[in-house]
């Protein structure tokens, strides 16, 4: 009799353990968050309302920040569309990505993305509009590679301006959600094309009801006039359009009861598409907006986070939250660090003291220099300072003048600065935005966020520069950056994925007219102007 009672108790304990295990498995599965990653195309961090900007209205971004976390120091390792997005998707710095360090690259098959991994692990994955672009990503068999899952771009609308995409981002997000009947956790990439150029000139004033007097400050490296301010308002209008679709997506999630367990990340790929910002390596180039909301996960929302975070931190964060070990992801070793220590923290603006710096850099962005050379830079942003090394100072940092300064998008601001030098001989703004640079630069970002005063030759900052350079070089060597081992030429030798643009400079000098649709025809400097430019530089 006693034996039977022992058997019954044993069976009861087994049932309890079994149900507990099932319950735990169910809980783990349910707690896997959905992921909505929202990335604007070319927006500097200051131009979101949550950062105190009054002339750009971003209520959806501001809501994500208020109900989540706002990051004061978020940086991309490389301030150009394709390499920045490659860093996000792989968790590696651009100098660790071979050809993917460059813009318009042939994306190496060896580098798997977090979305490919999550798709394999049971997530419903997809994207709308601009994904990992502009690149050519193929499988080993030469087929198109779905690095972000399925594309959802069928729904279209009539945009408010000629420069805004016809893709209905929010409607395509609904299609994506409807395409998930099994209710699997999802991972969606909202890649708006705004505020990428070109803009409909005057749309910010005419359609956005904005006034040039609303702009609190024009950066010191541009003239302050109505042309530049109007250009800035057109940029603001497109940011607001991006934000309006974010608002619609938040509403859809709320209506469907999905908002609570969706981690929503809102950022941009690089700084605003204006001279001396996009495609460069100054503060406004790499410092980007970032707000993260996750009602089920973030322990104390509404805080400002001052830790330095990098775009390479997103991939390990998503893998961890999805319950995927990095070793099982089949991704190449990830350099970034998961942000969960910040998400799950309960107080404070600085969560991890070791997050006190980020590394930045660039190789070839747009073509246009002889033999499609890039403009290699490496830098470190730490504390109040930005230190950068320009490795090839004989090259033009924004692209060769003869071929239109191709690493600077055509714009009213660019055209004004170029014509101001040609017609009036004003050289200061041209020199800041397009002129040659010295080998090393050091800026106190706290006192000089516009990066106007290079401190590199000031004796009182010599030790600061030496310390930052030593840390930069050591970390780059640890990360096996080819440029640290005399192999920097490899980045110049990777072919552009756009065959029509390859060898642009040499073909242009031979009399061909290769396509350069992202700049204006007047951006190309005639040979007569090159003589003026060279004389001007020799007199410096």
């Amino acid at each position: 009799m006693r034996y039977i009672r022992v058997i019954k108790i044993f069976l009861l304990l087994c049932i309890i353990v079994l149900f507990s295990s099932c319950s735990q498995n169910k809980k783990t599965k349910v707690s896997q968050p959905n992921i909505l990653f929202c990335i604007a195309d070319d927006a500097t961090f200051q131009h979101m309302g949550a950062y105190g900007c009054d002339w750009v209205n971003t209520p959806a971004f501001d809501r994500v920040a208020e109900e989540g976390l706002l990051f004061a120091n978020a940086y991309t390792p490389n301030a150009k569309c394709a390499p920045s997005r490659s860093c996000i998707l792989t968790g590696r710095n651009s100098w660790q990505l071979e050809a993917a360090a460059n813009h318009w690259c042939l994306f190496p098959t060896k580098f798997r993305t977090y979305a490919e991994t999550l798709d394999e692990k049971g997530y419903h994955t997809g994207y709308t509009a601009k994904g990992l672009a502009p690149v050519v990503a193929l499988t080993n068999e030469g087929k198109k590679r779905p690095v972000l899952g399925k594309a959802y771009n069928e729904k279209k609308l009539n945009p408010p301006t000629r420069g805004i995409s016809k893709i209905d981002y929010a409607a395509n997000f609904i299609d994506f959600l409807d395409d998930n009947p099994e209710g699997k956790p999802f991972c969606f990439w909202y890649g708006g094309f705004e505020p990428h150029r070109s803009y409909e000139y005057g749309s910010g004033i005419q359609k956005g009801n904005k006034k040039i007097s609303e702009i609190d400050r024009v950066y010191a490296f541009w003239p302050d006039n109505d042309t530049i301010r109007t250009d800035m308002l057109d940029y603001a209008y497109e940011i607001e359009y991006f934000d309006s679709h974010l608002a619609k997506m938040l509403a859809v999630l709320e209506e469907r009861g999905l908002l609570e367990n969706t981690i929503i990340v809102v950022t941009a790929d690089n700084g605003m598409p204006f001279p001396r910002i996009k495609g460069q390596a100054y503060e406004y180039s790499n410092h980007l907006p970032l707000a993260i909301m996750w009602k089920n996960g973030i322990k104390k929302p509404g805080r400002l986070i001052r830790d330095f975070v990098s775009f390479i931190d997103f991939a390990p964060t998503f893998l961890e939250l999805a319950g995927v070990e990095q070793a099982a992801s089949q991704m190449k070793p990830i350099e970034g660090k998961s942000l969960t220590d910040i998400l799950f923290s309960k107080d404070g603006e600085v969560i991890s003291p070791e997050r006190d710096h980020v590394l930045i850099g660039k190789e070839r962005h747009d073509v246009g220099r002889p033999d499609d050379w890039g403009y290699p830079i490496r830098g470190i942003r730490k504390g109040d300072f930005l230190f950068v090394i320009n490795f090839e100072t004989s090259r033009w940092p924004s692209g060769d003048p003869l071929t239109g300064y191709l690493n600077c998008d055509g714009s009213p601001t660019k055209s004004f600065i170029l014509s101001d030098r040609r017609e009036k001989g004003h050289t200061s703004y041209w020199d800041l935005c397009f002129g040659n640079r010295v080998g090393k630069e050091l800026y106190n970002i706290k006192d000089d966020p516009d990066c106007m005063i290079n401190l590199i030759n000031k004796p009182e900052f010599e030790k600061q520069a030496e310390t930052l350079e030593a840390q930069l070089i050591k970390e780059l060597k640890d990360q096996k950056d080819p440029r640290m081992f005399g192999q920097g030429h490899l980045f110049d030798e990777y072919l552009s994925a756009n065959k029509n643009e390859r060898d642009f400079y040499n073909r242009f000098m031979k009399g061909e007219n290769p396509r350069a649709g992202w700049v204006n025809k007047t951006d190309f400097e005639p040979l007569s102007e090159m003589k003026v430019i060279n004389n001007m530089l020799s007199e410096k």
Side-chain angles (χ1 to χ4, degrees):
M1 193 71 177
R2 185 176 179 183
Y3 174 76
I4 294 174
R5 287 180 61 192
V6 171
I7 293 295
K8 287 181 178 179
I9 293 172
F10 175 75
L11 291 174
L12 180 61
L13 289 173
C14 288
I15 291 171
I16 292 172
V17 170
L18 179 62
F19 273 100
S20 175
S21 176
C22 291
S23 175
Q24 183 63 37
N25 289 337
K26 184 177 180 181
K27 181 179 179 181
T28 302
K29 183 176 181 181
V30 170
S31 66
Q32 281 184 305
N34 305 307
I35 300 167
L36 174 58
F37 188 84
C38 311
I39 182 166
D41 198 357
D42 303 353
T44 293
F45 82 102
Q46 291 177 320
H47 303 138
M48 300 285 174
Y51 291 104
C53 184
D54 294 330
W55 53 276
V56 188
N57 300 309
T58 56
F61 180 91
D62 301 347
R63 177 189 176 186
V64 172
E66 183 179 353
E67 299 180 22
L69 301 174
L70 179 66
F71 289 76
N73 292 301
Y75 289 77
T76 178
N78 194 318
K80 196 75 170 185
C81 304
S84 178
R85 292 162 189 253
S86 295
C87 294
I88 292 170
L89 286 168
T90 62
R92 295 167 67 86
N93 285 308
S94 57
W95 46 88
Q96 299 177 300
L97 292 173
E98 298 179 0
N102 294 340
H103 198 56
W104 257 113
C105 74
L106 296 162
F107 191 78
T109 56
K110 66 166 64 175
F111 298 118
R112 201 178 205 217
T113 71
Y114 73 75
E116 289 174 302
T117 293
L118 293 183
D119 183 82
E120 183 183 82
K121 300 298 183 181
Y123 267 70
H124 175 49
T125 62
Y127 73 101
T128 189
K130 188 168 182 176
L132 177 56
V135 306
V136 173
L138 303 174
T139 65
N140 288 323
E141 293 74 32
K143 297 180 180 179
K144 187 176 180 180
R145 184 175 158 195
V147 292
L148 280 167
K150 180 181 175 181
Y152 288 82
N153 293 318
E154 290 186 2
K155 294 293 175 61
K156 300 292 195 297
L157 48 65
N158 292 320
T161 74
R162 295 186 303 274
I164 288 176
S165 173
K166 294 181 180 180
I167 297 175
D168 189 333
Y169 309 127
N172 285 298
F173 179 53
I174 291 173
D175 282 355
F176 167 80
L177 294 176
D178 291 343
D179 205 18
N180 185 22
E182 298 179 5
K184 296 191 293 185
F186 67 76
C187 177
F188 189 76
W189 173 291
Y190 161 33
F193 282 110
E194 294 76 32
H196 195 287
R197 293 191 184 272
S198 58
Y199 307 147
E200 185 177 302
Y201 188 71
S203 56
I205 296 172
Q206 296 164 11
K207 297 181 179 180
N209 298 315
K210 296 182 176 297
K211 299 178 181 178
I212 59 174
S213 59
E214 295 174 349
I215 297 175
D216 57 341
R217 189 172 77 91
V218 174
Y219 294 139
F221 41 81
W222 305 328
D224 186 352
N225 58 42
D226 287 359
T227 298
I228 277 72
R229 284 175 174 257
T230 299
D231 201 14
M232 293 171 70
L233 292 180
D234 296 343
Y235 156 80
Y237 183 66
E238 294 215 358
I239 290 178
E240 293 175 358
Y241 183 81
F242 169 86
D243 190 74
S244 70
H245 279 265
L246 171 61
K248 293 176 183 177
M249 293 180 186
L250 295 177
V252 168
L253 291 174
E254 210 157 20
E255 291 167 4
R256 298 190 178 205
L258 297 171
L259 186 63
E260 301 290 322
N261 199 39
T262 299
I263 181 169
I264 301 158
V265 179
V266 191
T267 187
D269 55 0
N270 49 252
M272 62 195 298
F274 284 68
R276 198 176 162 90
I277 298 185
K278 178 183 177 181
Q280 302 307 309
Y282 294 115
E283 175 69 357
Y284 303 140
S285 309
N286 297 75
H287 192 172
L288 298 174
L290 176 61
I292 301 179
M293 172 181 173
W294 179 24
K295 290 183 175 294
N296 278 3
I298 292 176
K299 300 303 181 186
K300 189 176 180 182
R303 284 179 293 138
L304 178 70
I305 302 297
R306 297 193 181 276
D307 297 59
F308 281 79
V309 301
S310 171
F311 276 18
I312 60 175
D313 298 333
F314 292 133
T317 303
F318 297 153
L319 292 180
E320 180 181 344
L321 294 178
V324 179
E325 296 286 341
Q326 290 188 29
S329 69
Q330 298 184 46
M331 297 173 68
K332 291 297 180 180
I334 289 175
E335 192 66 43
K337 179 184 176 183
S338 173
L339 297 170
T340 52
D341 58 331
I342 295 176
L343 301 181
F344 297 149
S345 63
K346 294 184 178 180
D347 51 35
E349 293 185 348
V350 176
I351 309 307
S352 301
E354 66 272 17
R355 293 186 185 270
D356 64 351
H357 73 285
V358 290
L359 301 188
I360 63 172
K362 59 180 281 192
E363 287 292 338
R364 180 176 70 229
H365 284 173
D366 289 301
V367 295
R369 299 183 189 86
D371 301 317
D372 289 343
W373 292 332
Y375 191 83
I377 296 176
R378 299 291 186 272
I380 181 170
R381 175 73 175 86
K382 183 175 182 178
D384 292 339
F385 291 90
L386 168 66
F387 171 82
V388 298
I389 302 174
N390 301 302
F391 290 95
E392 298 288 349
T393 56
S394 63
R395 302 177 187 178
W396 295 96
S398 295
D400 197 287
L402 285 170
T403 52
Y405 309 93
L406 293 187
N407 199 35
C408 179
D409 296 346
S411 69
T413 299
K414 179 181 179 181
S415 295
F416 184 93
I417 294 172
L418 294 180
S419 64
D420 197 39
R421 184 200 60 76
R422 293 172 190 152
E423 298 170 10
K424 298 181 180 179
H426 298 163
T427 60
S428 57
Y429 294 115
W430 179 92
D431 195 41
L432 287 165
C433 295
F434 303 108
N436 285 331
R437 297 176 187 158
V438 297
K440 297 176 183 178
E441 299 175 75
L442 177 70
Y443 299 96
N444 185 328
I445 300 302
K446 181 179 179 181
D447 298 335
D448 177 27
D450 291 6
C451 298
M452 299 291 289
I453 303 172
N454 186 4
L455 305 172
I456 198 66
N457 292 322
K458 294 186 178 297
E460 61 267 37
F461 292 99
E462 181 178 357
K463 183 64 176 177
Q464 182 74 53
E466 289 177 353
T467 301
L468 290 172
E469 182 175 8
Q471 181 176 357
L472 171 64
I473 297 301
K474 180 183 184 306
E475 292 191 22
L476 291 173
K477 286 183 175 180
D478 290 345
Q479 295 175 20
K480 298 181 173 52
D481 177 359
R483 194 161 286 283
M484 296 298 103
F485 303 96
Q487 299 296 309
H489 62 89
L490 293 174
F491 297 110
D492 287 330
E493 294 167 3
Y494 291 121
L495 290 176
S496 169
N498 189 336
K499 296 179 181 180
N500 295 327
E501 295 173 2
R502 289 179 188 170
D503 200 27
F504 189 104
Y505 179 91
N506 295 327
R507 290 163 56 201
F508 179 82
M509 297 302 290
K510 291 176 181 177
E512 291 186 41
N513 189 25
R515 182 183 178 277
W518 64 98
V519 298
N520 299 325
K521 291 182 179 180
T522 55
D523 293 349
F524 289 72
E525 299 281 15
L527 282 171
S528 59
E529 287 296 332
M530 285 304 299
K531 295 178 182 179
V532 176
I533 291 172
N534 289 330
N535 289 336
M536 180 187 74
L537 294 176
S538 65
E539 294 173 359
K540 288 180 60 178

